[in-house]
């Protein structure tokens, strides 16, 4: 299967009055629909043409120690 070099369609989802995405409202179109509240989302998850930089650091070791709490015994004399 060949790759898509040009991506002419955009993905849009519709929002309801409570600003939640309406289930099943994802559509692919060239332009945003005129009726309703629509927002463009990322349509293609693979091969998005952005540059990123990655910085790595030396690994660090963290040691934690758990100490049991001290116990106190109290006795009372019967009345």
């Amino acid at each position: 299967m060949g790759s898509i070099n040009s991506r002419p369609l955009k993905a849009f989802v519709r929002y309801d009055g409570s600003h939640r995405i309406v289930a099943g409202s994802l559509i692919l179109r060239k332009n945003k629909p005129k009726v309703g509240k629509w927002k463009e989302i990322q349509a293609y998850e693979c091969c998005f043409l952005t540059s990123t930089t990655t910085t790595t650091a030396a690994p660090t070791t963290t040691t934690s120690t758990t100490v049991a709490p001290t116990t106190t015994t109290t006795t009372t004399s019967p009345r």
Side-chain angles (χ1 to χ4, degrees):
M1 182 147 224
S3 64
I4 301 172
N5 291 335
S6 67
R7 295 178 168 89
L9 299 178
K10 299 175 185 177
F12 294 96
V13 291
R14 189 172 186 172
Y15 284 85
D16 64 4
S18 300
H19 304 287
R20 296 176 297 184
I21 295 176
V22 176
S25 67
L26 175 66
I27 59 169
L28 296 173
R29 293 182 59 161
K30 189 173 182 178
N31 298 319
K32 184 169 87 169
K34 294 182 176 27
V35 177
K37 297 177 184 178
W38 294 88
K39 183 177 179 184
E40 184 179 355
I41 62 169
Q42 181 179 345
Y44 303 96
E45 293 181 4
C46 175
C47 310
F48 205 56
L49 302 174
T50 58
S51 62
T52 58
T53 58
T54 304
T55 305
T56 59
T60 58
T61 304
T62 304
T63 305
S64 72
T65 305
T66 304
V67 178
T70 58
T71 58
T72 304
T73 305
T74 305
T75 57
T76 58
S77 59
R79 293 183 185 203

